[in-house]
């Protein structure tokens, strides 16, 4: 398996890793912030990719889980003096529980209904945040303290960038391993053909709930990090546009594939920045680029692996081997 | 005791009786052919046995338990595997990944095993791969293991579906028109394959087939449906000589 192509690829990943570490050291505050935003999007897109890319469930309200993580950390740290670390843990749990609770009734639906229900759910969460006293209403929550370990405070944006980077690396590790396991395969079977998956003994509802819950968990984690990075959160950060942008990141780079999803998340953040000189035109240009991508590379910019040829058995086993028994 | 007892089963779609009052048994290690003209209710029968449709009346006893109302995945875990009349593979996954799905119900690793790569998980993964490879070899398509299912010719896809079903290590294998769309030599190979499967895995087969010649070559017993009713049951040569069967087929032969 040690083809030159593969070597090139790991070289590419190492290079990318070094660049990511170096960004705050070689650029200014502005670009470090852009890179931090990219980190949120990577985390969010990786989480949504479990739902959309692996399990094939269209979710148009993913920012709801992002909101739950953000508000959990926002409320607990400012009003109850809870430490960030406990709040991020609880935020992830709340998001997961909410994901499962929403999933139980909706995941029985066919995918087009699911899209509508999740869209509505995302809006409901935003409206609750906008109209409740404990979430600070339309003005939201401010003065969210920076995380600290002992007396060490993640005060600067550089330190926060690295904190997020660690979470992103952890997420990549966990999601990559999940994707290449019995669980990950079960998701892909459901995505490909739910009835056939069920016929092969895959409990569709269970695995869809698992995908939904885990996806929600990563959304919650990203939300908590967002809250401490921004120090202030407000309902408008969690609307449908947010859900749409995350979904875009997943689809643009190469749905279902971790490297593709990361690329998509980076592009979704970087392209509008890079086109800033076009001012008002940039969103339009961005849209045109998107449409072109979808026309010329419908599976995303960096789609999944290709086929491989294999040698046939040297001697076709007439009787098969003995490890298969009735 | 029979492996499967279908007991006065009925399936209605609104006013239409797709299957009405059908009973038959499948003895262990037998190949039973299920035949009948188009729309006779054969696939509906399959869907009820495998849990995709819930019968409106009657019982289906599999290995001593009534499986009516159980989910298809649960029934597969109990030891049944099926193929579909219109091939239903996982199109953009590789042939090997397709066949690995069969081992899902025979393994148990969840998220912790996957993330931590525990010893038990790795052992299971190895076993899943081994069985998948064995099944691919058995049906003679090992060389396509790395190809995407959707890019393969029809005849090979049929075999992938059979390999995938075998990988669940079933007691009962249900094949819905496996010979449909195959040419003469492919049909011969298929007959050979079915007999080899039965021999090697010592399993029971329920086979839906339009090609009466093919069925009579492999089946120990044939059940004939027409308009959702059972019109004959017995040894292949008996059944095919039965005037009601001949009438059902000639009366509206359409292929
Ligand atoms: N999901 C469904 N909803 C409504 N009617 C159905 C459904 N499935 C099957 N039927 C009807 O039930 C009857 C039996 O269909 P079935 O597919 O079981 O026949 P079959 O014997 O498999 O035919 P073929 O040889 O064409 O595959 C047909 O009249 C069909 O239209
Ligand atoms: Mg049919």
């Amino acid at each position: 398996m040690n083809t030159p192509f593969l070597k090139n690829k790991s070289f590419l990943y190492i290079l990318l890793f070094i660049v990511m570490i170096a960004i705050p050291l070689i650029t200014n505050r502005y670009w470090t912030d852009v890179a931090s935003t990219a980190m949120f999007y990577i985390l969010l897109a990786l989480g949504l990719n479990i739902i959309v890319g692996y399990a094939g469930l269209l979710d148009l309200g993913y920012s709801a889980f992002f909101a739950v993580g953000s508000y959990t950390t926002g409320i607990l740290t400012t009003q109850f003096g809870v430490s960030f670390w406990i709040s991020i843990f609880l935020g992830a749990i709340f998001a997961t529980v909410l994901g499962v609770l929403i999933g139980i009734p909706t995941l029985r639906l066919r995918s087009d209904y699911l899209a509508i229900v999740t869209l509505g759910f995302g809006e409901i969460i935003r409206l609750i945040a906008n109209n409740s006293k404990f979430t600070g209403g339309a003005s939201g929550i401010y003065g969210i303290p920076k995380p600290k370990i002992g007396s060490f405070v993640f005060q600067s944006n550089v330190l926060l960038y690295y904190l997020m980077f660690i979470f992103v690396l952890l997420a990549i590790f966990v999601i990559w391993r999940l994707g290449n396991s019995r669980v990950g395969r079960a998701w892909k079977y459901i995505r490909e053909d739910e009835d056939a998956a069920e016929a092969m003994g895959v409990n569709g509802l269970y695995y869809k709930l698992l995908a939904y819950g885990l996806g929600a968990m990563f959304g919650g984690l990203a939300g908590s990090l967002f809250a401490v990075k921004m120090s202030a959160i407000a309902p408008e950060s969690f609307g449908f546009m947010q859900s749409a942008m995350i979904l875009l990141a997943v689809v643009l780079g190469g749905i279902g594939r971790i490297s593709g999803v990361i690329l998509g998340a980076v592009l979704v953040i970087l392209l509008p920045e890079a086109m800033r000189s076009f001012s008002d035109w940039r969103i339009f240009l961005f849209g045109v680029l998107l449409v072109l991508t979808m026309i010329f590379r419908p599976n995303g910019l960096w789609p999944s692996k290709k086929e491989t040829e294999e040698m046939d058995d040297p001697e076709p086993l007439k009787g098969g081997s003995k490890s298969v028994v009735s | 005791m029979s492996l499967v007892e279908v007991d006065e089963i009925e399936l209605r779609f609104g006013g239409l009786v797709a299957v009405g009052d059908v009973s038959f048994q499948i003895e262990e290690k037998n190949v039973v052919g299920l035949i009948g003209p188009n729309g006779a209710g054969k696939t509906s029968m399959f869907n009820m046995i495998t849990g995709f449709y819930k019968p409106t009346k009657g019982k289906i006893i599999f290995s001593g338990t009534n499986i009516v109302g159980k989910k298809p995945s649960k029934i597969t875990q109990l030891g049944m595997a099926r193929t579909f009349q219109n091939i239903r593979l996982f199109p953009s996954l590789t042939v090997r990944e397709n066949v690995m799905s069969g081992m899902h119900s025979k393994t148990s690793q969840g998220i912790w095993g996957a993330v931590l790569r525990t010893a038990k998980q790795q052992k299971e993964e190895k076993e899943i791969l081994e069985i998948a490879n064995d099944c691919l070899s058995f049906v003679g398509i090992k060389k396509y293991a790395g190809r995407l299912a959707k890019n393969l010719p029809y005849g090979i896809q049929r075999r992938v579906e059979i390999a995938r079903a075998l990988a669940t290590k079933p007691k009962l294998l249900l094949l819905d028109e496996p010979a449909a769309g195959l040419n003469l030599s492919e049909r011969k190979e298929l007959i050979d394959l079915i007999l080899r499967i039965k021999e090697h895995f010592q399993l029971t087969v329920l086979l839906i087939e339009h090609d009466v010649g093919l069925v009579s070559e492999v089946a120990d017993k044939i059940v004939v449906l027409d308009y959702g009713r059972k019109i004959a049951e017995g040894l292949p040569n008996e059944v095919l000589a039965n005037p009601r069967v001949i009438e059902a087929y000639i009366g509206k032969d359409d292929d």
Side-chain angles (χ1 to χ4, degrees):
Chain A
M1 287 297 274
N2 238 340
T3 57
F5 173 64
L6 265 181
K7 274 189 188 148
N8 278 342
K9 227 164 61 174
S10 33
F11 173 73
L12 193 73
Y13 289 139
I14 292 167
L15 192 75
L16 202 67
F17 181 76
I18 294 170
V19 169
M20 295 302 251
I21 290 194
I23 282 176
L25 308 174
I26 56 176
T27 63
N28 57 17
R29 187 186 168 103
Y30 174 76
W31 283 106
T32 305
D33 276 345
V34 171
S36 298
T37 315
M39 287 293 169
F40 291 126
Y41 266 79
I42 292 174
L43 206 49
L44 288 166
L46 284 171
L48 183 60
N49 182 53
I50 298 178
I51 300 174
V52 180
Y54 285 168
L57 305 163
L58 187 53
D59 185 340
L60 295 179
Y62 188 66
S63 68
F65 305 125
F66 185 45
V68 168
S70 278
Y71 275 101
T72 302
T73 288
I75 293 168
L76 289 182
T77 54
T78 58
Q79 290 173 32
F80 299 94
V82 174
S83 102
F84 164 74
W85 307 105
I86 293 173
S87 82
I88 191 171
F89 181 72
L90 289 176
I93 290 181
F94 291 163
T96 311
V97 169
L98 193 68
V100 171
L101 286 182
I102 287 301
I104 288 171
T106 51
L107 291 176
R108 293 171 203 274
L109 304 174
R110 286 281 155 189
S111 58
D112 29 0
Y113 294 109
L114 183 67
I116 295 166
V117 173
T118 52
L119 178 72
F121 166 66
E123 282 305 286
I124 288 170
I125 293 290
R126 190 182 62 82
L127 287 173
I128 291 175
N130 208 1
N131 294 303
S132 304
K133 236 173 114 190
F134 72 102
T135 58
S139 53
I141 296 172
Y142 40 88
I144 300 166
K146 300 294 181 212
K148 55 181 168 211
I149 301 173
S151 59
F152 178 81
V153 186
F154 289 81
Q155 191 62 53
S156 72
N157 65 338
V158 173
L159 285 173
L160 284 168
Y161 170 83
Y162 285 127
L163 181 65
M164 281 183 283
F165 189 37
I166 289 169
F167 272 93
V168 165
L169 289 179
L170 271 174
I172 291 173
F173 175 80
V174 168
I175 292 171
W176 184 76
R177 284 205 159 175
L178 278 175
N180 291 289
S181 72
R182 176 174 175 271
V183 175
R185 285 192 302 272
W187 286 332
K188 290 174 206 168
Y189 298 143
I190 292 169
R191 175 192 73 198
E192 294 288 306
D193 187 327
E194 201 177 333
D195 286 341
E198 191 70 42
M200 301 320 290
V202 177
N203 183 340
L205 190 60
Y206 172 80
Y207 280 97
K208 286 198 281 186
L209 269 179
L210 197 61
Y212 214 64
L214 282 172
M217 185 188 85
F218 284 102
L221 284 177
S224 289
L225 289 167
F226 180 78
V228 289
K229 161 78 179 137
M230 294 302 169
S231 331
I233 51 173
E236 75 252 27
S237 302
F238 310 104
F240 172 66
M241 270 315 283
Q242 190 70 270
S243 296
M245 289 295 271
I246 305 163
L247 187 61
L248 187 64
V250 173
V251 178
L252 181 66
I255 192 163
R257 188 175 189 212
I258 289 183
S259 41
V261 167
I262 293 174
L263 178 73
V266 171
L267 287 180
V268 162
I269 297 308
L270 225 53
L271 283 182
E273 290 298 331
M275 292 186 293
R276 210 165 259 284
S277 53
F278 297 99
S279 69
D280 288 348
W281 284 88
R282 69 196 174 117
I283 296 297
F284 172 74
L285 278 176
F286 188 44
V288 170
L289 275 177
L290 262 178
V291 172
L292 289 177
T293 316
M294 287 301 117
I295 291 172
F296 293 108
R297 301 210 57 141
N299 293 322
L301 296 170
W302 197 351
S304 284
K305 61 178 185 283
K306 293 213 179 62
E307 301 174 79
T308 53
E309 282 293 342
E310 303 213 2
M311 295 292 290
D312 204 350
D313 283 337
E315 248 178 278
L317 295 164
K318 259 288 162 209
S321 95
K322 275 178 228 70
S323 62
V324 189
V325 282
S326 66
Chain B
M1 196 188 69
S2 347
L3 180 63
V4 183
E5 282 174 52
V6 174
D7 191 14
E8 292 180 5
I9 213 85
E10 182 198 78
L11 178 69
R12 285 172 178 272
F13 293 109
L16 175 87
V17 181
V19 175
D21 203 18
V22 172
S23 303
F24 63 91
Q25 274 104 43
I26 303 175
E27 303 304 323
E28 231 163 297
K29 317 253 186 306
N30 272 6
V31 176
V32 174
L34 185 60
I35 66 171
N38 284 113
K42 306 181 293 295
T43 300
S44 301
M45 193 73 230
F46 253 44
N47 283 336
M48 286 189 287
I49 296 177
T50 52
F52 281 90
Y53 290 167
K54 194 169 178 225
T56 38
K57 258 193 216 147
K59 279 187 294 189
I60 301 171
I61 312 290
F62 176 61
S63 283
T65 38
N66 187 359
I67 53 172
V68 168
K70 289 197 184 344
K71 286 180 68 148
S73 53
K74 183 79 202 154
I75 292 175
T76 302
Q77 283 162 27
L78 293 175
M80 263 194 219
R82 71 173 293 179
T83 64
F84 292 86
Q85 184 167 356
N86 316 302
I87 306 176
R88 301 278 292 266
L89 292 173
F90 306 118
S92 47
L93 301 183
T94 65
V95 167
R96 181 178 281 115
E97 285 172 312
N98 265 274
V99 178
M100 284 164 85
S101 69
M103 280 297 286
H104 184 89
S105 61
K106 293 284 175 284
T107 46
S108 62
Q109 287 300 304
I111 40 181
W112 293 113
V115 173
L116 304 175
R117 292 249 162 114
T118 55
K120 188 151 178 274
Q121 192 261 358
Q122 295 194 22
K123 198 172 143 244
E124 260 193 24
E125 285 293 299
K126 230 183 103 199
E127 193 195 345
I128 293 170
L129 254 179
E130 255 168 40
I131 303 281
N133 286 337
D134 284 348
C135 291
L136 286 169
S137 300
F138 189 87
V139 303
I141 51 170
K142 183 79 184 300
K143 71 169 165 187
Y144 299 103
R147 301 282 305 279
L148 299 187
K150 64 180 170 197
N151 295 344
L152 294 173
Y154 192 78
I156 304 294
Q157 290 189 346
R158 282 259 174 234
R159 280 172 182 256
V160 177
E161 222 190 5
I162 293 175
R164 186 177 71 173
L166 283 178
T168 67
K169 305 185 181 178
K171 285 187 246 175
L172 175 68
L173 177 65
L174 301 100
L175 303 170
D176 196 345
E177 299 201 24
L182 301 187
N183 63 35
L184 202 66
S185 74
E186 286 173 327
R187 268 167 196 254
K188 285 225 160 65
E189 281 171 28
L190 184 79
I191 293 175
D192 174 58
L193 178 63
I194 294 172
L195 291 174
R196 265 198 309 127
I197 287 171
K198 183 200 160 194
E199 203 49 42
H200 181 76
F201 297 95
Q202 291 287 303
L203 48 70
T204 311
V205 180
L206 180 59
L207 172 71
I208 295 183
E209 193 43 72
H210 261 301
D211 182 341
V212 176
L214 188 151
V215 188
S216 52
E217 264 186 74
V218 298
D220 299 298
K221 176 172 101 171
I222 291 181
V223 174
V224 190
L225 296 183
D226 188 26
Y227 289 116
R229 308 268 161 186
K230 184 174 89 175
I231 57 167
E233 175 177 356
L235 295 173
N237 48 2
E238 278 170 27
V239 164
L240 298 180
N242 184 324
R244 282 193 71 187
V245 177
I246 295 169
E247 190 196 341
Y249 264 88
I250 294 173
K252 48 181 179 176
D253 202 350
D254 37 15
D255 61 355

